[in-house]
Amino acid sequence: MRKLLSIFGLAFCLVVVTAVAASAKGYSHTAKGDVTTIDSTAMTFGVKGEHQGAKEQTFTVTSTTKLESAGKPITLADLRSGEGVTVWYVTKDGKKEASRVVVEPVTPTGH
């Protein structure tokens, strides 16, 4: 019985340590919305979410951020206000660092 409790205790500790280590690294989050601002000097851009009442979020672009449109690499200078994007990011030191940004394809509105 003691051996079984020891094994469960050890397993529990391993799970807790793994969870703490993962949260310290920062989980990747996603945001989806329209580009509202672009600041090439500060290397940031703003996105307002799709749902009503959504607040603008500001994302930082780093040297490792992958930006793409139509499956091809682009730069921050290629982003345009009003474009729909999906952003994968992690929060570091209170800033949202974009790891990947994908410009959504424009769908023609037809009747």
Side-chain angles (χ1 to χ4, degrees):
M1 183 70 169
R2 281 187 175 195
K3 194 174 194 178
L4 185 61
L5 284 175
S6 294
I7 291 172
F8 282 124
L10 183 60
F12 177 77
C13 289
L14 183 60
V15 168
V16 169
V17 167
T18 302
V20 168
S23 68
K25 285 185 177 180
Y27 281 105
S28 181
H29 304 280
T30 57
K32 192 170 186 171
D34 294 332
V35 175
T36 53
T37 59
I38 303 156
D39 185 338
S40 57
T41 303
M43 296 298 289
T44 62
F45 65 98
V47 174
K48 185 168 182 184
E50 295 178 327
H51 61 282
Q52 187 174 356
K55 295 180 181 179
E56 181 183 44
Q57 299 182 71
T58 301
F59 300 95
T60 302
V61 173
T62 69
S63 61
T64 60
T65 302
K66 306 288 185 214
L67 294 103
E68 66 181 76
S69 180
K72 297 182 181 179
I74 62 170
T75 66
L76 181 61
D78 297 319
L79 278 183
R80 298 288 175 252
S81 184
E83 286 183 312
V85 293
T86 301
V87 182
W88 287 263
Y89 68 95
V90 294
T91 303
K92 291 183 181 176
D93 300 324
K95 293 183 179 182
K96 295 175 181 174
E97 289 188 6
S99 55
R100 184 174 180 216
V101 181
V102 176
V103 176
E104 302 299 325
V106 177
T107 54
T109 55
H111 297 283

